[in-house]
């Protein structure tokens, strides 16, 4: 609503991902005019939000990308996203919701080069993985695990997962990052299955660079033979959708032809790209963006979720996951429209491997019979 107040006549404003917005401006005659518009957007967006519970602060990172005769919207958006994380003024929110200002001012004792932090973490394979259980809301049992990549700097501050994905792509290290995550998941799942042998599905998020890499295909094929009891869900975000559509259709077909490999979409409901993806990609599952699930009472969100469930009903093998479940009302809504799979803080927080293993040893894959606690 704030950004729309500044919308010029020659511009279109849209949400393109869960917490990302894009303003597309046409017929630009002066780069300085666009830079001034970006400054006014930032200044307006960062104003505190006043609620009945008190004041809520807002952090904003932004970037500008200019087109040429051949660049389409997807190229512009990817370029702008990558540049956001190069900015020294970018504030990178930590996984736990706090803000870790990693790119501090030059000359500060607290200065950290976040690109170097990520590069070294991938090269040294010091990344870690958090596991978010996905529950069947009817049987109240864990059906699979979602993963969150975690990278820390030397002082223990956390790089936001979306930064890790975008910056790994810019550094041309996405394939190695995903391979590292894959190896970690296989090791951890082996330990999990000793306690809960029925747990056999783990979902991994990719940005699309992996799809055209032979080393990724070869290792995944090898793992499907070495670990026939595991199923790997490969999740594509908005950038990965464009890569899959424009460059590697044949490779995607070969990938999903592997035994126990499933292809899915993440952040569903926040970008137009998924409409085309449903039409041309051999998808097995989709994960709604948290913002869509949180807005479940609005007509638009209901329409998006109902339409996607209709697609799943037309294809019995297609599954839909509702992410960001924080209240019992959301669970009841999911049941009311025929949904079954959900994840979020109401059901379980994301945990590292040791924490999740202890949970399995204490409770197995069942949700406690007592009503789950409300999210803080």
């Amino acid at each position: 609503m704030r950004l729309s107040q500044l919308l010029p006549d020659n511009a279109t404003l849209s949400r393109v991902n869960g917490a990302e917005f894009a303003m597309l401006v046409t017929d630009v005659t002066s780069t300085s005019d666009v830079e001034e518009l970006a400054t006014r957007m930032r200044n307006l967006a960062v104003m505190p939000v006043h609620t009945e519970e008190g004041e809520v602060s807002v952090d904003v990172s932004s970037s500008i990308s200019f087109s040429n005769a051949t660049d389409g919207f997807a190229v512009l958006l990817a370029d702008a996203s990558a540049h956001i994380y190069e900015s020294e003024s970018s504030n990178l929110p930590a996984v736990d919701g706090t803000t870790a200002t990693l790119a501090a001012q030059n000359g500060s004792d607290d200065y950290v080069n976040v690109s170097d932090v990520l590069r070294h973490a991938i090269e040294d394979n010091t990344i870690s993985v958090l596991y978010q259980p996905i529950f069947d809301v009817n049987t109240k049992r864990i059906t699979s695990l979602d993963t969150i990549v975690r990278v820390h700097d030397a002082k223990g501050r956390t790089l936001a997962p979306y930064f890790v994905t975008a910056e790994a792509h810019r550094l041309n290290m996405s394939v190695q990052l995903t391979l590292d995550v894959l190896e970690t998941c296989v090791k951890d799942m082996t330990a999990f299955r000793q306690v809960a042998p029925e747990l056999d599905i783990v979902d991994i998020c990719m940005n699309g660079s992996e799809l055209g890499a032979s080393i990724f295909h070869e290792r995944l094929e090898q793992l499907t033979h070495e670990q026939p009891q595991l199923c790997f869900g490969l999740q594509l975000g908005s950038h990965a959708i464009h890569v899959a559509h424009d460059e590697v259709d044949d490779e995607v077909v070969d990938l999903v032809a592997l035994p126990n490999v499933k292809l899915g979409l993440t952040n569903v409901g926040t970008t137009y790209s998924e409409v085309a993806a449903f039409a041309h990609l051999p998808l097995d599952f989709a994960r709604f963006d948290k913002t869509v699930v949180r807005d479940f009472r609005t007509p638009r969100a209901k329409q998006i979720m109902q339409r996607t469930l209709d697609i799943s009903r037309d294809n019995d093998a297609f599954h839909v996951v509702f992410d960001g479940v924080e209240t019992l009302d959301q669970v009841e809504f999911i049941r009311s429209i025929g949904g079954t799979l959900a994840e979020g803080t109401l059901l379980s927080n994301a945990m590292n491997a040791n924490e999740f293993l202890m949970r399995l040893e204490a409770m197995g894959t069942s949700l406690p019979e007592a009503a789950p606690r409300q999210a803080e």
Side-chain angles (χ1 to χ4, degrees):
M1 291 174 62
R2 288 179 175 178
L3 296 179
S4 64
Q5 297 176 27
L6 301 176
L7 193 66
D9 293 337
N10 58 331
T12 301
L13 177 67
S14 176
R15 183 200 297 271
V16 294
N17 211 324
E20 299 176 4
F21 298 81
M23 184 179 290
L24 185 65
V25 186
T26 58
D27 300 322
V28 174
T29 58
S30 169
T31 56
S32 61
D33 289 346
V34 179
E35 291 166 353
E36 180 185 350
L37 174 61
T39 298
R40 287 190 285 126
M41 289 169 63
R42 283 195 298 271
N43 291 341
L44 188 61
V46 299
M47 293 176 61
V49 177
H50 298 280
T51 74
E52 293 180 355
E53 302 298 325
E55 186 176 278
V56 179
S57 61
V58 180
D59 288 329
V60 173
S61 297
S62 64
S63 182
I64 303 170
S65 182
F66 293 95
S67 71
N68 56 37
T70 60
D71 287 344
F73 177 72
V75 175
L76 286 177
L77 190 61
D79 183 55
S81 296
H83 285 309
I84 284 177
Y85 306 109
E86 295 173 328
S87 170
E88 289 181 354
S89 62
S90 291
N91 289 331
L92 308 180
V95 171
D96 62 5
T98 62
T99 299
T101 307
L102 301 180
Q105 295 296 324
N106 282 315
S108 167
D109 293 336
D110 207 29
Y111 176 76
V112 176
N113 186 319
V114 288
S115 293
D116 286 345
V117 170
L118 180 58
R119 181 185 293 107
H120 293 317
I122 296 174
E123 290 174 345
D124 301 336
N125 193 11
T126 57
I127 64 167
S128 58
V129 177
L130 298 184
Y131 296 94
Q132 179 86 52
I134 299 172
F135 285 85
D136 184 314
V137 295
N138 296 319
T139 64
K140 298 182 181 179
R141 298 188 70 87
I142 299 174
T143 64
S144 56
L145 295 175
D146 192 12
T147 56
I148 301 171
V149 180
R150 202 163 203 182
V151 178
H152 299 92
D153 70 358
K155 296 189 176 183
R157 294 169 298 191
T158 307
L159 275 64
Y162 62 78
F163 167 76
V164 172
T165 303
E167 186 66 358
H169 175 70
R170 193 184 72 83
L171 295 172
N172 197 29
M173 302 183 77
S174 293
V175 175
Q176 187 56 54
L177 173 64
T178 304
L179 284 173
D180 289 348
V181 172
L182 196 59
E183 300 295 345
T184 300
C185 289
V186 169
K187 175 177 67 69
D188 291 340
M189 288 292 289
T190 300
F192 299 158
R193 284 176 50 79
Q194 291 180 358
V195 180
E198 70 274 23
L199 198 57
D200 57 5
I201 303 173
V202 61
D203 295 339
I204 298 168
C205 193
M206 308 191 306
N207 70 20
S209 304
E210 308 89 345
L211 297 175
S214 59
I215 186 174
F216 177 74
H217 285 247
E218 291 167 3
R219 182 54 182 151
L220 194 57
E221 183 176 9
Q222 185 179 12
L223 284 173
T224 59
H225 292 293
E226 293 176 355
Q227 308 283 342
Q229 72 281 7
L230 293 183
C231 180
F232 302 98
L234 307 180
Q235 302 181 87
L236 305 179
S238 56
H239 175 72
I241 292 173
H242 293 297
V243 173
H245 184 268
D246 298 335
E247 303 172 17
V248 291
D249 279 348
D250 293 339
E251 288 85 345
V252 170
V253 172
D254 292 340
L255 199 62
V256 296
L258 294 174
N260 295 334
V261 172
K262 307 296 182 183
L263 195 68
L265 297 184
T266 188
N267 301 122
V268 168
T270 61
T271 170
Y272 74 91
S273 308
E274 66 214 27
V275 177
F278 280 127
H280 84 272
L281 289 176
L283 297 172
D284 297 287
F285 66 96
R287 174 172 279 99
F288 288 122
D289 189 85
K290 295 178 181 179
T291 57
V292 177
V293 179
R294 287 170 184 159
D295 290 342
F296 72 99
R297 289 188 174 90
T298 65
R300 175 61 176 159
K302 288 181 180 178
Q303 181 185 35
I304 290 170
M305 289 186 277
Q306 188 66 68
R307 186 171 63 231
T308 306
L309 279 176
D310 290 342
I311 293 174
S312 73
R313 294 189 184 103
D314 292 339
N315 181 354
D316 292 337
F318 190 90
H319 304 287
V320 178
V321 179
F322 294 77
D323 194 2
V325 175
E326 300 170 346
T327 68
L328 290 172
D329 287 345
Q330 288 171 308
V331 174
E332 291 308 313
F333 167 76
I334 292 169
R335 289 192 181 116
S336 72
I337 63 173
T340 56
L341 302 179
E343 63 178 295
T345 54
L346 178 74
L347 305 169
S348 174
N349 291 319
M351 294 167 275
N352 63 36
N354 289 334
E355 290 172 324
F356 185 64
L357 188 57
M358 285 189 288
R359 185 204 183 283
L360 286 178
E361 292 172 341
M363 293 182 285
T365 56
S366 297
L367 195 66
E369 286 303 316
R373 68 175 179 83
Q374 294 291 332
E376 295 179 359

